[in-house]
Amino acid sequence: MPQIDKVAFFGDSYCFDTITKKHHKGLDHAWYPPTPTYLDIFAEKHNLEIVHRGSPAHGPNWMVHELREWLKSKRQEEINQTHFVFLWSDQSRKIMPNTGDLRPRGSSGEDYRQLQTCRDAWKFYLKQYNITSYQQYHCFFHTAKYENNFLKFEWEGEEHNCLQQFAQTHDDYVMGEGDDHYNHFSPKGQYNMASILSRRFEEIHG
C-alpha cells in the first residue's frame, strides 16, 4: 500500500470546514476554533495533511457528488496517498448546495431509496479509483438504524451506533452544544473521536 500522507473528510457538520462556521454564528468572515478539533488531532498524530472537509447540513447525495468531483480533479498518485473518512449524514438532505438548512431531520421511503443509490455510487467510485484506505460512520440514529447499525463501533467497552450517540455520551457534553463543541463534540469528545479514527487507521496501516 502506498505511503499515506493526506486525509480527506467527506460528510456534514461532523467534519465541517471551519470557514463555514459563519453560517452558524452569523459572522461575515472566516471563523477558526481556538483549540484543535478531532480532525486536527488525528491528522497531526499521523502527520497527515487535511485536503478536504465536509459541509454543514449536507447529506449523502452531496457527499458523493463532492467525492466524485474531488477524485476527478486529482492524479491517481495523490488519491493513493490519501486516507478517506466518510460520515453518512441524513438522507433527506438533498444534493443542492446548502447554506444552513435547520429543518428537522426525518426521511421518507424515497429518501431511503436515494440513500441506497448513493451507496451504490460511492462503492463504484471506491472501486474505480482503487480506494482501500478509508473508514466510515453514520452521523445520526435513524440512518444507522435503517442500515442495521452496520457501522457501529466500540469505545471503552460500549458499542455506539452513530456519531450523535457517541458525542452525547461524554460527561462534558452540553445539550444544545456550547461554543467549545466544534463538529458537535465536547472537548473530551474531540480527543476520543480522534482516538477512534487513529485506531481504525492503524488497523489498516499498522
Side-chain angles (χ1 to χ4, degrees):
M1 184 173 287
Q3 178 65 37
I4 302 296
D5 59 13
K6 306 174 186 65
V7 59
F9 293 86
F10 288 88
D12 61 2
S13 53
Y14 276 95
C15 62
F16 75 98
D17 181 343
T18 52
I19 198 168
T20 63
K21 184 73 174 182
K22 63 186 179 182
H23 296 311
H24 298 262
K25 292 294 181 181
L27 304 178
D28 58 1
H29 57 81
W31 184 92
Y32 295 91
T35 57
T37 68
Y38 78 89
L39 295 82
D40 304 307
I41 298 167
F42 168 72
E44 182 177 352
K45 177 178 180 179
H46 299 283
N47 197 28
L48 305 175
E49 176 191 1
I50 299 177
V51 294
H52 192 277
R53 298 180 188 245
S55 301
H58 288 68
N61 266 306
W62 182 255
M63 182 185 77
V64 173
H65 167 76
E66 289 234 300
L67 173 64
R68 181 189 67 186
E69 295 303 303
W70 190 87
L71 293 171
K72 285 166 54 179
S73 72
K74 303 300 178 184
R75 293 177 292 111
Q76 186 64 44
E77 180 183 8
E78 294 179 76
I79 296 171
N80 294 343
Q81 296 168 342
T82 302
H83 181 70
F84 294 82
V85 180
F86 299 103
L87 306 184
W88 292 85
S89 186
D90 176 29
Q91 55 274 8
S92 69
R93 292 170 166 173
K94 307 305 182 184
I95 194 170
M96 70 285 289
N98 195 317
T99 58
D101 184 354
L102 300 178
R103 291 175 298 174
R105 290 181 291 273
S107 299
S108 65
E110 178 62 25
D111 292 325
Y112 285 119
R113 287 190 290 274
Q114 284 294 320
L115 175 61
Q116 185 57 56
T117 300
C118 290
R119 279 220 169 266
D120 290 344
W122 174 79
K123 292 176 183 176
F124 172 81
Y125 293 128
L126 262 58
K127 183 176 181 179
Q128 181 182 20
Y129 289 93
N130 194 31
I131 296 171
T132 58
S133 179
Y134 70 91
Q135 49 188 304
Q136 56 175 327
Y137 303 89
H138 287 121
C139 294
F140 302 114
F141 287 99
H142 60 285
T143 310
K145 181 178 180 181
Y146 177 76
E147 296 199 301
N148 297 315
N149 300 314
F150 85 99
L151 297 180
K152 63 185 177 183
F153 55 94
E154 180 272 333
W155 179 252
E156 295 186 342
E158 294 187 8
E159 283 191 344
H160 301 278
N161 296 329
C162 63
L163 301 184
Q164 182 183 32
Q165 179 187 24
F166 178 65
Q168 294 177 5
T169 59
H170 290 85
D171 59 16
D172 64 339
Y173 179 86
V174 177
M175 197 63 67
E177 302 183 1
D179 286 343
D180 61 350
H181 284 42
Y182 318 123
N183 303 107
H184 306 299
F185 287 100
S186 65
K188 287 183 181 178
Q190 299 290 352
Y191 284 93
N192 289 339
M193 186 61 200
S195 294
I196 287 172
L197 295 186
S198 290
R199 181 177 63 189
R200 178 58 182 147
F201 183 82
E202 290 165 0
E203 287 173 357
I204 299 171
H205 297 285

